[in-house]
Amino acid sequence: MEERKEMITADKLAYNYIKYDEEGREKEKIRAVDGVSFEVEKGDFVAILGHNGSGKSTLAKHINALLTPSEGTLWVNGMDTSDENNLWDVRQSAGMVFQNPDNQIIGTIVEEDVGFGPENMGVPTKEIWERVEESLKAVNMLKYRHHSPNKLSGGQKQRVAIAGVVAMHPKCIVLDEPTAMLDPNGRKEVIRAVRALNQVEDITVILITHYMEEVIYANKVLVMDDGKVVMQGTPREIFSQVETLKSYRLDVPQATLLAWELKKAGLDLPDGILTREELVEALCRLY
Amino acid sequence: MSIVLENVCYTYSPGTAYEIHALKNINLEIRDGQFIGLIGHTGSGKSTLVQHLNGLVKATSGRICFNGEDIYAQNYDMRRLRGKVGLVFQYPEHQLFEVDVLSDVCFGPKNQGLSQEEAKKRAREALRMVGISEEYEKQSPFELSGGQKRRVAIAGVLAMEPEVLILDEPTAGLDPRGRDEILDQISLLHKERGITVILVSHSMEDVAKYVERIIVMNQGEVMYDDVPREVFRHYKELERVGLAAPQVTYIMHTLKEKGFDVDEDATTIEEAKETILEAFRKKGSKT
C-alpha cells in the first residue's frame, strides 16, 4: 500500500453544542465549528490561531476523537473518526496536550507518569521502559526521571506531559495552548521540545497558541473566527496582513509589528518580516 | 498612604525536611498610586509576596505596615485590610459561583456589610469599569466567554473599592485582544481613580508597556526594583534567572551593535519606532 501523504483531512466538518432545558428538550444550538475543510500533511507543523471562543479547541478535540463531527467528516491517518471501531487507533495516532500541566500528570514519579500511556496500551514491560527513556530524552527531561512531578517547574511539568504522549508513539500531537501558564523560560523549553519532536522525530504537530512568537516556527497557519477557517497560509503570508489579523482579535509578533509601524512611517521595509534577525537585517540594508 | 515591608521573611514548613525559604528579607515600599509590575520565574516567590500584602499569609518574621499601621499588631482589623487591598488570583473565573453576573459581583460588597442596594450600585459600577454592559447582569456567569468571565471576576474585587489592586497573571490564556482590553481597563482605572496596581505577569512586553516600576523576584529575594528601561537593561542577567526582556529590547541592542545611533533602552514598540526613525533622520541630515 502506498504511504499516504496526508495526516489529517477535514471535509466540511461542523460541530454543534446543544443546550438542554430542565425537561431535557433542546433549548439552543451553538455551532462552534462551522463547515471547516483543511488538510495537514505528515510532518507538518501547523499553528492554529483564533480568539477565545473561535472554535479552535473544539476543532482540536476532534483530532483525537474526544468529539466527533455533527456534520462532515474528519480523517486522521486515513481513519474516519466517527467510526467507533477506529476510536482506539485514532487516539493512538493523535495525542493531546492541554494548557494546565497539573491536570494531566497522574504519576508520583516522572517515569511512572510517562509510562502510564504505553502501559495502558498493553506494551510489554521492557519496551515501556525503552519508550519512557527515549520520550524523556526527546523533551530533554531524562535526568528528572526519578523526580516527583509536583516539585518541577511549569515548563518541566509540561514537558513531562508531552513525553507521556510521545511514549505512546503517536503520529501526530495536538497541543492546546501548552505555554499559556508558563514563564518565559518555560515557554522557550516547551517550544524547543515541540520543534525537536517535529524535526527530529518527524511527528506532525498541531499547536494552538495565543503567543504569536511561537507561530513563526510553523510551516502552515490556520486562523479561525466564528467557527470557520478564515485565513490559511505560511506564517509570512499570514503575518503580512496585520490589520486583518487585528480584526480577528489577534496580533502579530513584536518584530512584525515594529516593522509594520516603521513602514507606515515611511521606511521602505518588505512585508512579512517575522523575526528579530530579519528586521535588523532589513534595517541595516536601509541605514 | 503606602504599604511598607520591613525585613519580611517567609518559610514554608519550618523545622521540617521540606523547609523552603520562600521570601528572604524583603524590604519594599509600595507608594500610593503606583502601577507596579512584579516579575519572576515560577517559584521565585511572587505569589507568596502578594499574599502577604493583604494578610492572607503571615510573615515568619518582619513587619508590614499599611498606611502606617502594623498589620500584625493586636486588634488590627484584617477584614478591613482585605477590603482595601484587593487580590485577584490566577484564573479568577474559577471562583465565580453565583446564579447571575450581578449577584456574583455583589458578593464582596455584601460581605463588607453594605446594604443590598449599595452593593448593587457598587457592582454595577464595577461591571461598567471592566466593560461588561448591563445586558449581561442577569446571565449566568458560566455562559460567558473566557475573557468576559475573567472581567466579571475582576469586577467582583473592584466592587469592594480597594485602594490597592493586585492581579496575579490576569491575562493568562486570553487572546491578544482580550489581553489588551483587560490591561487597558486596568490602566484606565489606575489613571482615573488613582488606585495602586500591582501586576504579576510572565509577559515582559505587557509589563514594559503598562507599568512605571518593575520589581524582579529571584529565589525569594528582590533582584531589581526600578523603572522598566533600567530593569531591562539587565536583560542578560534576567535571562539567567529564567526571565527575558521584551522582544524590542533585543532588537534595539542588536541595532546598536550594528552601528545604529539608537536609544538601546527602548522597551516598547512606540519607543523603538521613535528612536529608529530619529536615527534615520539624523543619518539623513548628515549625508
Side-chain angles (χ1 to χ4, degrees):
Chain A
M1 201 177 83
E2 200 194 332
E3 179 89 354
R4 65 179 74 246
K5 232 174 74 193
E6 67 280 1
M7 183 67 224
I8 297 162
T9 310
D11 182 32
K12 300 189 199 74
L13 187 156
Y15 187 81
N16 302 321
Y17 284 106
I18 294 168
K19 264 200 227 169
Y20 297 95
D21 65 10
E22 273 132 40
E23 274 86 49
R25 282 182 306 233
E26 192 176 314
K27 191 172 117 192
E28 203 185 339
K29 214 193 254 176
I30 296 162
R31 207 166 170 83
V33 177
D34 189 7
V36 163
S37 301
F38 65 91
E39 207 159 83
V40 175
E41 286 182 14
K42 281 192 175 146
D44 267 355
F45 184 155
V46 178
I48 304 183
L49 299 177
H51 61 79
N52 295 116
S54 61
K56 309 181 297 290
S57 296
T58 305
L59 177 63
K61 284 180 190 145
H62 279 80
I63 298 172
N64 75 342
L66 283 176
L67 296 175
T68 51
S70 307
E71 292 159 38
T73 321
L74 182 73
W75 289 274
V76 172
N77 204 21
M79 295 171 284
D80 182 345
T81 61
S82 297
D83 183 347
E84 272 184 39
N85 297 322
N86 289 335
L87 190 64
W88 293 107
D89 290 327
V90 168
R91 296 227 169 118
Q92 205 180 317
S93 300
M96 269 198 92
V97 177
F98 298 94
Q99 195 180 101
N100 189 343
D102 288 326
N103 298 343
Q104 303 170 72
I105 289 180
I106 40 129
T108 49
I109 302 288
V110 165
E111 59 181 12
E112 270 175 26
D113 187 79
V114 176
F116 181 80
E119 193 180 0
N120 246 356
M121 286 158 49
V123 173
T125 313
K126 186 170 164 285
E127 200 192 324
I128 294 180
W129 289 115
E130 285 165 15
R131 288 191 182 196
V132 166
E133 191 165 330
E134 68 177 37
S135 320
L136 283 170
K137 212 183 268 171
V139 297
N140 200 17
M141 282 296 288
L142 191 59
K143 65 174 178 222
Y144 294 96
R145 64 186 300 171
H146 300 302
H147 284 234
S148 159
N150 62 26
K151 293 265 155 67
L152 301 176
S153 75
Q156 290 170 334
K157 279 187 208 167
Q158 196 61 293
R159 282 185 288 153
V160 170
I162 294 172
V165 174
V166 173
M168 293 164 72
H169 285 182
K171 297 194 170 57
C172 163
I173 295 187
V174 184
L175 303 109
D176 193 352
E177 292 191 52
T179 58
M181 298 182 73
L182 308 182
D183 59 27
N185 216 21
R187 284 204 299 267
K188 227 189 278 171
E189 288 167 2
V190 166
I191 290 303
R192 199 180 295 144
V194 169
R195 288 178 68 197
L197 291 179
N198 179 243
Q199 285 166 359
V200 183
E201 317 278 326
D202 208 26
I203 297 175
T204 308
V205 169
I206 295 173
L207 173 71
I208 296 179
T209 184
H210 286 317
Y211 285 103
M212 303 300 143
E213 267 77 20
E214 297 172 358
V215 174
I216 57 184
Y217 306 113
N219 64 332
K220 191 173 175 187
V221 183
L222 299 180
V223 179
M224 289 195 67
D225 184 58
D226 204 14
K228 297 187 181 69
V229 171
V230 287
M231 290 168 91
Q232 260 193 75
T234 62
R236 207 174 295 285
E237 286 161 5
I238 298 292
F239 288 136
S240 307
Q241 302 170 56
V242 179
E243 259 151 0
T244 319
L245 279 170
K246 288 198 179 230
S247 75
Y248 294 128
R249 297 177 62 93
L250 298 173
D251 213 343
V252 296
Q254 285 230 306
T256 312
L257 187 59
L258 181 54
W260 184 69
E261 289 284 347
L262 289 170
K263 195 176 169 169
K264 269 202 307 189
L267 290 190
D268 184 21
L269 290 166
D271 275 328
I273 283 178
L274 291 182
T275 63
R276 300 182 326 220
E277 293 75 22
E278 285 172 13
L279 175 60
V280 168
E281 211 178 290
L283 283 171
C284 283
R285 274 200 296 272
L286 290 179
Y287 196 60
Chain B
M1 301 283 263
S2 62
I3 307 177
V4 178
L5 289 82
E6 285 172 19
N7 308 318
V8 169
C9 297
Y10 185 76
T11 311
Y12 283 103
S13 323
T16 73
Y18 299 104
E19 188 174 280
I20 292 170
H21 298 282
L23 296 178
K24 300 173 199 160
N25 210 24
I26 304 285
N27 288 288
L28 280 175
E29 188 186 353
I30 313 283
R31 283 180 296 277
D32 234 15
Q34 280 193 323
F35 196 152
I36 298 173
L38 181 58
I39 62 176
H41 64 87
T42 319
S44 61
K46 306 182 299 282
S47 295
T48 309
L49 177 64
V50 294
Q51 287 174 37
H52 276 78
L53 301 181
N54 73 345
L56 271 185
V57 172
K58 187 170 187 280
T60 312
S61 64
R63 212 160 83 107
I64 298 177
C65 291
F66 181 68
N67 294 341
E69 283 178 84
D70 186 342
I71 67 166
Y72 297 141
Q74 253 187 347
N75 305 327
Y76 186 82
D77 189 353
M78 260 320 171
R79 250 179 104 91
R80 236 185 90 236
L81 175 70
R82 296 201 177 119
K84 299 268 187 204
V85 182
L87 181 53
V88 179
F89 288 101
Q90 267 179 42
Y91 294 84
E93 61 273 26
H94 295 167
Q95 296 166 44
L96 296 171
F97 68 101
E98 273 283 10
V99 288
D100 62 59
V101 166
L102 190 66
S103 321
D104 204 285
V105 180
C106 280
F107 181 78
K110 257 175 27 198
N111 253 354
Q112 287 179 308
L114 296 179
S115 70
Q116 181 77 8
E117 271 321 294
E118 185 65 18
K120 272 193 180 162
K121 211 179 113 209
R122 291 258 201 109
R124 290 210 165 96
E125 173 69 7
L127 283 167
R128 189 194 60 78
M129 284 191 281
V130 296
I132 296 284
S133 60
E134 273 173 38
E135 59 188 293
Y136 293 103
E137 277 183 9
K138 286 289 152 219
Q139 268 199 33
S140 161
F142 301 103
E143 288 175 358
L144 304 174
S145 79
Q148 288 171 329
K149 276 189 206 163
R150 181 92 37 110
R151 280 187 273 167
V152 169
I154 295 174
V157 174
L158 286 177
M160 297 195 282
E161 298 196 343
E163 289 170 20
V164 180
L165 179 64
I166 304 169
L167 303 119
D168 197 350
E169 289 195 59
T171 61
L174 294 187
D175 60 53
R177 175 89 67 87
R179 176 198 70 202
D180 290 348
E181 281 171 0
I182 284 195
L183 293 176
D184 286 343
Q185 295 278 6
I186 292 166
S187 176
L188 195 69
L189 266 172
H190 165 73
K191 283 191 197 108
E192 279 183 354
R193 303 252 161 155
I195 60 172
T196 310
V197 180
I198 301 176
L199 174 70
V200 180
S201 178
H202 281 323
S203 165
M204 304 302 132
E205 286 76 19
D206 290 348
V207 170
K209 188 168 164 194
Y210 290 97
V211 310
E212 61 195 87
R213 171 184 174 192
I214 297 179
I215 299 171
V216 183
M217 294 288 296
N218 182 41
Q219 298 189 331
E221 290 172 296
V222 174
M223 186 181 179
Y224 297 113
D225 179 0
D226 214 327
V227 294
R229 48 192 293 128
E230 292 296 328
V231 168
F232 288 129
R233 192 173 277 171
H234 303 284
Y235 65 104
K236 287 189 177 129
E237 287 84 353
L238 289 174
E239 278 177 9
R240 243 171 269 141
V241 299
L243 296 171
Q247 299 282 330
V248 164
T249 305
Y250 295 97
I251 295 170
M252 300 317 291
H253 279 272
T254 323
L255 285 176
K256 186 83 180 179
E257 278 163 30
K258 302 255 180 197
F260 278 73
D261 185 13
V262 289
D263 170 15
E264 77 268 40
D265 294 328
T267 55
T268 65
I269 297 274
E270 202 46 43
E271 286 169 12
K273 177 182 150 190
E274 286 312 315
T275 177
I276 291 173
L277 290 175
E278 181 62 29
F280 274 100
R281 270 196 294 271
K282 274 189 267 178
K283 175 108 177 173
S285 64
K286 258 183 248 163
T287 49

